[in-house]
Amino acid sequence: TCQSQSMCQWRIDGCTRRCYYKYNNASTCNADTQCEWFPYEYVCRNNRQGYATIANISAAMVESTCKADNGCEWIAANATCVDSCTGKYSTQTRCNADPKCMWYAQVPECRKSCSQLDAMATCTAEAMCTWMSSQVACKLTCKYRWGTQYMCDGDSECMWNDNTRTCTPACP
C-alpha cells in the first residue's frame, strides 16, 4: 500500500513521505541524512548513498531498499546505490544531455537509454527500444530514432512509411 502512493516510500523504519515532498529548501533537505538538495532543479531528492547510513541496516537491506527506489540503480560490481536516470533528471533537456539516459515522453520521465540495456528482456520491456539480435545490442526503435523522412531513409535499419508518416523498421 505504501509504494502505491506516489508521495510515499517504504524505508527500513516504515512508510514515509519521499524527500521531494518533505522539504522545499536546501537547509532542511540537507539536514536529513536520507535526503540531498539538487540545486539546478531546486528540489529535494532521496540521498542514494544515505541508505547505508540508516542505523542497524544490513548490506542486503541497503541493496533491496535501493532496488525498490525507482530513482536508484544498484551496481552489483561494487555494491553501491547510485542515482538512476529517473533519480538524476526531471527535465527532458537535462535527461537528453546525458548519453546514458533518454526522455520517455509517454510517462514523462528520464530512463536508462536503450544502448545501456544489455539484456534482451530488459530491452524489449521498454517500448522505445528494440533488441537487435544480429548485433546483440539494444537500440532506440526507428520510430523514436528519426522524425524526418530524410534522416530515416539514411539509416539502413529503417524505412519511411508514407501512410503513417513515421520511421519504421526496414524489411529484413
Side-chain angles (χ1 to χ4, degrees):
T1 307
C2 179
Q3 294 293 78
S4 67
Q5 300 290 326
S6 64
M7 291 176 59
C8 302
Q9 64 188 350
W10 183 256
R11 292 290 180 117
I12 307 312
D13 52 353
C15 190
T16 183
R17 275 190 299 159
R18 293 182 184 276
C19 296
Y20 183 87
Y21 299 104
K22 276 186 188 177
Y23 309 110
N24 61 8
N25 64 63
S27 59
T28 56
C29 174
N30 289 331
D32 184 333
T33 60
Q34 301 304 304
C35 304
E36 67 181 319
W37 185 254
F38 278 65
Y40 297 109
E41 306 213 2
Y42 301 101
V43 295
C44 186
R45 300 276 178 102
N46 291 354
N47 180 353
R48 312 314 175 209
Q49 285 73 37
Y51 291 144
T53 66
I54 299 171
N56 303 318
I57 190 170
S58 67
M61 206 51 167
V62 170
E63 179 180 354
S64 65
T65 303
C66 178
K67 287 179 175 179
D69 184 338
N70 74 341
C72 296
E73 181 179 355
W74 181 254
I75 308 297
N78 58 2
T80 57
C81 188
V82 298
D83 287 319
S84 67
C85 292
T86 305
K88 283 187 213 176
Y89 310 111
S90 62
T91 66
Q92 183 174 0
T93 303
R94 290 191 183 278
C95 174
N96 288 338
D98 185 332
K100 293 181 179 181
C101 303
M102 68 178 182
W103 188 253
Y104 195 78
Q106 288 83 346
V107 175
E109 73 179 8
C110 190
R111 293 189 178 172
K112 189 182 276 192
S113 70
C114 300
S115 63
Q116 299 297 305
L117 305 175
D118 56 5
M120 187 170 106
T122 53
C123 175
T124 56
E126 289 290 344
M128 291 177 65
C129 302
T130 187
W131 183 254
M132 308 298 281
S133 297
S134 62
Q135 300 168 22
V136 191
C138 186
K139 288 188 171 184
L140 201 58
T141 62
C142 293
K143 177 181 177 179
Y144 296 105
R145 216 182 299 177
W146 309 115
T148 66
Q149 182 175 358
Y150 177 78
M151 296 301 286
C152 179
D153 287 341
D155 185 333
S156 63
E157 296 172 350
C158 305
M159 65 182 182
W160 187 255
N161 181 328
D162 283 321
N163 294 329
T164 61
R165 310 227 8 101
T166 58
C167 192
T168 60
C171 298

